[in-house]
């Protein structure tokens, strides 16, 4: 059927009207802003890179002041600032100040020995200068991936890290009043622009908007460096057992922390365990199915102390809780293990018939004994193993295969 020139014009007008007035569906997910706490102290210095300028709002009546640098110091309940390295001229800020520092330079803003994208906001919280970095989530991830995982890892491993890190951030976004995440291992390590590389940028951009879900809800996408052969059930480390954080076989045998060993002298043990007066005997009384220490009994000059594997890891700063611990001493240039033994005795309790009991008698231990701890892996062991992801990627696994191995029953889709 032919259409007349008149009807063609009419259809053209209709199509244009539909295009103009119909709402357009977004092709890309909106990139939210994340707030990263990067410092909390008494002094701060911000400066531009090279001959550029930074723009500071909040130090004058004008909207923004164009300067090279600004120094801040908190002392005697006052916050003072100096600009452009004029350290002989200091000005006081009001108690409720809020500085916003930004620039238009891709090289970012210098703070201490790192450069940051986005905005840096400074306020006085709990008698400290609190510095929070405001930036887009995807830009934040370009630093986090390079801060959390070695930059030379295969692309598929970096992509898996990007999706896990994005999911982790989205899960806690907006939950806190002042900031969303720390820049340390308390959340995710974030080292500013210095951690970015073209390969990491590719890993983040190629997975744009992808996150991890379980039954259509964002998961707690926790990860760690190396599990020592098998990851851990979340319920063995934290309060709840989540269905997607289950123990699976790991492929981290080439990890730099797959095997490790630490030694602690008797003097160090005395300082680290003041309640028990040091350690004369150590017994691991409970382990998880993956071999991580859950409970320990310590014997010392002052008595017996029961602690968790996590507590011992924290006190001794061990890489993980997957370890064995033995007291040893040096004899004839060789290391020998201190052994304890059980001796059965018959003891009369208040004129009752004699009863059999077993109790531990500790042998005489030389003063120069030491505690040897040998273990596997690094981190809590739950969720994705970064070194395991590397090994899987090297064997040809995609980021989807990696993520579905370490997070049981999850979906990978746009948020």
């Amino acid at each position: 059927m032919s259409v007349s020139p008149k009807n063609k014009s009419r259809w053209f007008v209709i199509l244009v009207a539909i295009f103009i007035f119909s709402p357009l569906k977004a092709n890309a997910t909106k990139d939210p802003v994340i707030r990263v706490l990067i410092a909390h102290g008494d002094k701060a210095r911000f400066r531009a890179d090279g001959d550029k300028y930074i723009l500071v709002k909040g130090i004058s009546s004008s909207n923004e002041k164009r300067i090279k640098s600004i120094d801040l110091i908190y002392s005697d309940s006052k916050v003072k600032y100096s600009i452009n390295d004029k350290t002989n001229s200091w000005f006081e800020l009001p108690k409720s100040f809020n500085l916003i520092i930004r620039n238009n330079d891709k090289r970012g803003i210098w703070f201490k020995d790192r450069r940051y994208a986005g905005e840096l906001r400074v306020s006085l919280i709990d008698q400290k200068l609190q510095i929070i970095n405001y930036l887009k989530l995807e830009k934040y991830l370009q630093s986090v991936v390079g801060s959390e995982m070695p930059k030379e890892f295969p692309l598929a491993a970096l992509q898996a890290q990007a999706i896990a890190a994005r999911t982790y951030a989205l899960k806690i976004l907006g939950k806190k009043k002042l900031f969303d995440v720390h820049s340390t291992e308390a959340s995710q390590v974030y080292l500013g622009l210095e951690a970015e590389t073209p390969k990491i940028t590719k890993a983040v951009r190629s997975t744009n908007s992808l996150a991890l879900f379980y039954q259509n809800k964002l998961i707690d996408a926790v990860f760690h460096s190396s599990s020592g052969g098998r990851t851990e059930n979340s319920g063995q480390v934290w309060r709840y057992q989540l269905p997607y954080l289950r123990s699976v076989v790991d492929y981290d045998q080439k990890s730099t922390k797959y095997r490790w060993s630490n030694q602690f002298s008797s003097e160090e043990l005395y300082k680290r365990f003041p309640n028990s007066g040091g350690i004369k005997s150590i017994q691991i009384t409970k382990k998880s199915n993956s071999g991580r220490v859950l409970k320990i009994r310590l014997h010392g000059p002052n008595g017996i102390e029961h602690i968790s594997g996590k507590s011992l890891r924290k006190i001794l700063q061990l890489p993980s809780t997957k370890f064995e611990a033995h007291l040893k001493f040096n004899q004839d240039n060789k290391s020998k293990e201190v052994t304890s033994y059980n001796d059965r005795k018959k003891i009369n309790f208040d004129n009752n018939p004699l009863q059999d009991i077993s109790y531990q008698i500790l042998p005489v231990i030389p003063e120069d004994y030491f505690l040897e701890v040998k273990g596997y892996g690094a981190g809590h062991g739950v969720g994705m193993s970064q070194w395991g992801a590397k090994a899987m990627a090297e064997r040809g696994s995609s980021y989807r295969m990696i993520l579905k191995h370490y997070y049981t029953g999850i979906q990978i889709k746009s948020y």
Side-chain angles (χ1 to χ4, degrees):
M1 181 179 68
S2 63
V3 180
S4 67
K6 185 176 181 180
N7 286 335
K8 284 183 179 179
S9 299
R10 185 179 299 162
W11 278 109
F12 178 77
V13 172
I14 292 172
L15 290 172
V16 171
I18 291 173
F19 179 80
I20 294 175
F21 296 107
S22 296
L24 295 175
K25 293 183 179 180
N27 292 322
T29 305
K30 183 180 178 182
D31 192 1
V33 171
I34 190 166
R35 304 165 300 169
V36 188
L37 177 65
I38 60 173
H40 198 64
D42 298 323
K43 296 179 181 179
R45 173 177 169 79
F46 308 92
R47 66 177 178 86
D49 195 302
D51 58 353
K52 300 295 182 179
Y53 290 88
I54 55 175
L55 301 171
V56 183
K57 184 178 181 180
I59 61 173
S60 66
S61 56
S62 61
N63 287 334
E64 288 182 319
K65 197 169 184 65
R66 188 167 174 259
I67 58 177
K68 289 275 191 179
S69 66
I70 181 169
D71 289 87
L72 300 169
I73 186 168
Y74 175 72
S75 179
D76 298 327
S77 300
K78 296 177 182 178
V79 177
K80 295 182 179 181
Y81 72 93
S82 173
I83 62 174
N84 296 333
D85 295 322
K86 296 178 181 178
T87 54
N88 293 326
S89 300
W90 291 87
F91 306 92
E92 187 176 340
L93 286 168
K95 291 184 178 180
S96 59
F97 75 92
N98 181 29
L99 300 186
I100 300 176
I101 305 168
R102 67 178 187 88
N103 66 2
N104 298 316
D105 186 0
K106 291 183 178 180
R107 292 174 293 182
I109 302 164
W110 281 100
F111 170 63
K112 293 185 177 179
D113 58 348
R114 300 191 182 280
R115 295 172 299 132
Y116 295 90
E119 293 181 351
L120 297 178
R121 300 192 184 188
V122 189
S123 56
L124 188 66
I125 304 293
D126 296 330
Q127 310 303 308
K128 295 288 184 180
L129 295 171
Q130 182 168 270
I131 296 97
I132 300 175
N133 190 188
Y134 282 62
L135 75 163
K136 293 293 184 67
L137 175 62
E138 295 301 308
K139 187 64 174 175
Y140 163 76
L141 291 173
Q142 290 179 28
S143 173
V144 166
V145 173
S147 303
E148 282 282 0
M149 180 175 275
K151 303 175 181 64
E152 65 273 11
F153 273 21
L155 180 62
L158 294 170
Q159 289 172 318
Q161 180 68 62
I163 296 172
R166 183 183 293 112
T167 307
Y168 181 94
L170 288 169
K171 180 79 172 178
I172 59 178
L173 204 64
K175 297 291 177 66
K176 296 181 181 179
K177 183 178 179 180
L178 299 175
F179 61 91
D180 298 306
V181 292
H182 295 268
S183 61
T184 65
E185 290 180 352
S187 299
Q188 300 186 118
V189 180
Y190 168 70
L191 301 176
L193 291 172
E194 267 62 40
E196 294 184 10
T197 68
K199 187 176 179 180
I200 289 169
T201 299
K202 181 180 179 181
V204 173
R205 289 180 177 175
S206 63
T207 62
N208 181 50
S209 83
L210 292 180
L212 305 176
F213 294 82
Y214 185 83
Q215 296 182 349
N216 294 319
K217 292 182 180 180
L218 288 166
I219 73 167
D220 291 320
V222 294
F223 48 86
H224 59 280
S225 176
S226 164
S227 74
R230 188 169 188 88
T231 67
E232 183 60 279
N233 288 311
S234 63
Q236 296 284 358
V237 178
W238 300 304
R239 187 174 179 181
Y240 299 107
Q241 176 58 54
L242 297 173
Y244 49 83
L245 293 178
R246 298 194 178 280
S247 176
V248 297
V249 65
D250 198 6
Y251 307 101
D252 63 329
Q253 287 75 16
K254 293 184 179 180
S255 165
T256 56
K257 291 289 186 180
Y258 182 72
R259 287 189 179 89
W260 49 265
S261 177
N262 289 336
Q263 292 185 353
F264 305 90
S265 68
S266 56
E267 185 179 352
E268 286 180 281
L269 295 174
Y270 178 79
K271 292 178 181 178
R272 297 189 190 220
F273 297 93
N275 292 339
S276 57
I279 298 177
K280 294 293 184 182
S281 176
I282 182 169
Q283 294 172 302
I284 295 171
T285 58
K286 187 177 181 181
K287 285 186 176 183
S288 71
N289 291 336
S290 68
R292 286 171 176 78
V293 176
L294 300 178
K295 294 182 180 180
I296 299 170
R297 179 165 59 235
L298 302 176
H299 297 253
N302 299 339
I304 298 174
E305 186 176 358
H306 296 270
I307 66 172
S308 67
K310 287 193 292 185
S311 295
L312 188 72
R313 179 192 174 194
K314 184 177 181 180
I315 293 169
L316 298 181
Q317 298 180 330
L318 303 174
S320 75
T321 58
K322 192 171 186 176
F323 59 78
E324 294 289 343
H326 302 281
L327 288 174
K328 294 189 174 184
F329 66 97
N330 291 316
Q331 186 179 55
D332 300 326
N333 296 322
K334 292 182 179 181
S335 178
K336 292 192 175 183
E337 186 174 343
V338 176
T339 57
S340 57
Y341 57 91
N342 288 329
D343 191 13
R344 299 184 66 81
K345 297 286 185 181
K346 289 184 178 296
I347 298 180
N348 193 324
F349 290 103
D350 299 326
N351 299 319
N352 288 333
L354 293 175
Q355 302 178 28
D356 284 339
I357 67 165
S358 293
Y359 64 96
Q360 189 176 63
I361 299 176
L362 299 178
V364 177
I365 301 176
E367 290 185 1
D368 62 345
Y369 73 90
F370 61 91
L371 177 68
E372 182 178 67
V373 186
K374 291 184 176 181
Y376 296 85
H380 49 64
V382 182
M384 186 179 73
S385 160
Q386 293 169 321
W387 278 88
K390 174 182 183 289
M392 289 186 69
E394 289 173 341
R395 296 174 187 178
S397 297
S398 67
Y399 67 81
R400 291 181 179 273
M401 295 169 67
I402 294 169
L403 292 168
K404 288 190 175 184
H405 173 72
Y406 288 105
Y407 303 106
T408 305
I410 54 92
Q411 302 91 41
I412 306 169
K413 60 183 181 179
S414 294
Y415 66 90

